[in-house]
Amino acid sequence: MSGAGTVLGREGEDELLRAALDAGAHVVLEGPPGTGKSTLLRAVAGGRDVPFFLVEGNAELTPARLVGHFDPAQVLAKGYVPDIFVDGPLVDALRTGGLLYVEEINRVPEETLNVLITVMSEGELAVPRLGVIKAEPGFRLVAAMNPFDAVGTARISAAVYDRTCRIAMDYQSAATEASIVALRERDDAVDPEWRDQVVELVRRTRAHADIRVGSSVRGAIDLVGIAARLGVSRGVPATDWHVGLDAALVSLSGRVRLLESCTRTAEQVVRELYEGVFGREPAAADDKTGDAPPGEA
């Protein structure tokens, strides 16, 4: 998705993020999965030449895992002395003036979130038995969240938004997503027209009436890759209708989230979308043609 320090289709967000960080702000990147949030921040961090610390937000991210801890074995021998403290990612970022990136911040427990709020407010962290750690110049916190994911998440408090700047990131254009898929192809380039149809299929998952959350561009990347391998194993082109359908079912059925009111399976919905882009199954179409009256086939 990126190259030479840039991210395809994210020039505007890149500029905004760099300006916000240069101004001393902490930032929340908000958008669906697969929109390049992590890729964008890594590109920006590389351009700033500062340490980069990644934290995965989940229910197991306790304050101790974020901040660090005293080595229990060393405590017995030496007591609570600074040199036996094992720095966590937050303390590492504070000491080095680095970028701390917290993925899925809306999955972080409230007590851990309160630690981050304090650091953003005060620019320092008080650690029991260790003392106060002040943020070195350059320290910034960037968090990411998917506003459409309601499972296992919590509503982000106003205290977080009050201490951060927010950059909204929606899906990129169809042309940009096609370029991203092309960059990720592992084999010889596939037919560009077929690739564009794959991207169109994935984009339609985001607007289907029965789908609550559609697939990101990762679905298109996997679909193209799986179709290429299936084509080789079956001795047919990757663009074969049945190869494409099987690849679509594998790549997309687990990525889409159906509405609770939907009575169909994800596989049925994906097949409907696939036929809408690539047409009906060739064998079925041939049978229908064979039943037509003479002269109308």
Side-chain angles (χ1 to χ4, degrees):
M1 288 186 185
S2 64
T6 62
V7 183
L8 286 175
R10 292 300 180 204
E11 293 78 11
E13 291 86 351
D14 183 287
E15 180 186 36
L16 292 173
L17 179 57
R18 292 177 191 275
L21 295 176
D22 289 342
H26 304 292
V27 180
V28 170
L29 302 177
E30 189 171 309
T35 48
K37 298 186 292 293
S38 299
T39 306
L40 173 63
L41 183 57
R42 289 182 184 277
V44 171
R48 295 172 68 86
D49 193 27
V50 296
F52 179 85
F53 302 93
L54 172 65
V55 175
E56 182 181 347
N58 53 50
E60 284 71 47
L61 184 61
T62 62
R65 289 186 176 183
L66 181 66
V67 174
H69 63 276
F70 285 95
D71 185 330
Q74 294 293 321
V75 167
L76 293 175
K78 301 181 179 179
Y80 291 97
V81 293
D83 63 346
I84 64 169
F85 186 82
V86 180
D87 292 351
L90 173 57
V91 171
D92 274 335
L94 288 168
R95 293 189 195 274
T96 61
L99 277 176
L100 177 68
Y101 179 46
V102 182
E103 287 190 316
E104 304 297 342
I105 192 173
N106 48 338
R107 295 181 179 273
V108 174
E110 184 176 1
E111 60 176 345
T112 307
L113 200 58
N114 288 337
V115 174
L116 295 172
I117 291 172
T118 300
V119 170
M120 287 189 288
S121 298
E122 308 298 333
E124 61 183 32
L125 176 67
V127 182
R129 299 189 179 93
L130 182 65
V132 175
I133 301 173
K134 294 185 178 295
E136 290 297 317
F139 167 76
R140 303 287 187 273
L141 183 145
V142 178
M145 61 177 287
N146 171 16
F148 305 109
D149 190 357
V151 179
T153 64
R155 184 170 185 151
I156 292 298
S157 68
V160 172
Y161 282 121
D162 188 52
R163 290 163 175 78
T164 59
C165 293
R166 173 179 172 273
I167 298 177
M169 297 177 62
D170 203 349
Y171 291 108
Q172 290 129 305
S173 68
T176 297
E177 290 194 339
S179 297
I180 291 170
V181 176
L183 287 174
R184 295 291 295 272
E185 288 171 11
R186 297 179 180 178
D187 304 293
D188 292 336
V190 300
D191 177 65
E193 183 177 348
W194 179 79
R195 183 199 303 128
D196 290 345
Q197 288 179 296
V198 169
V199 170
E200 172 62 19
L201 167 62
V202 170
R203 291 175 68 84
R204 288 191 184 190
T205 67
R206 305 167 195 163
H208 192 279
D210 288 333
I211 297 178
R212 178 172 59 86
V213 180
S215 172
S216 72
V217 71
R218 296 189 186 107
I221 293 169
D222 285 347
L223 198 163
V224 169
I226 292 172
R229 300 268 53 85
L230 279 177
V232 170
S233 66
R234 296 179 183 179
V236 297
T239 56
D240 176 83
W241 192 94
H242 294 92
V243 164
L245 175 62
D246 288 343
L249 293 173
V250 171
S251 303
L252 303 180
S253 62
R255 283 186 163 98
V256 299
R257 296 289 180 266
L258 302 182
L259 295 172
E260 293 184 0
S261 59
C262 180
T263 58
R264 296 189 293 168
T265 65
E267 287 78 8
Q268 289 172 323
V269 174
V270 170
R271 176 164 183 143
E272 175 199 319
L273 287 166
Y274 183 84
E275 291 179 345
V277 175
F278 293 96
R280 295 181 59 190
E281 183 176 5
D286 291 343
D287 290 343
K288 182 176 181 181
T289 300
D291 295 335
E296 294 184 20

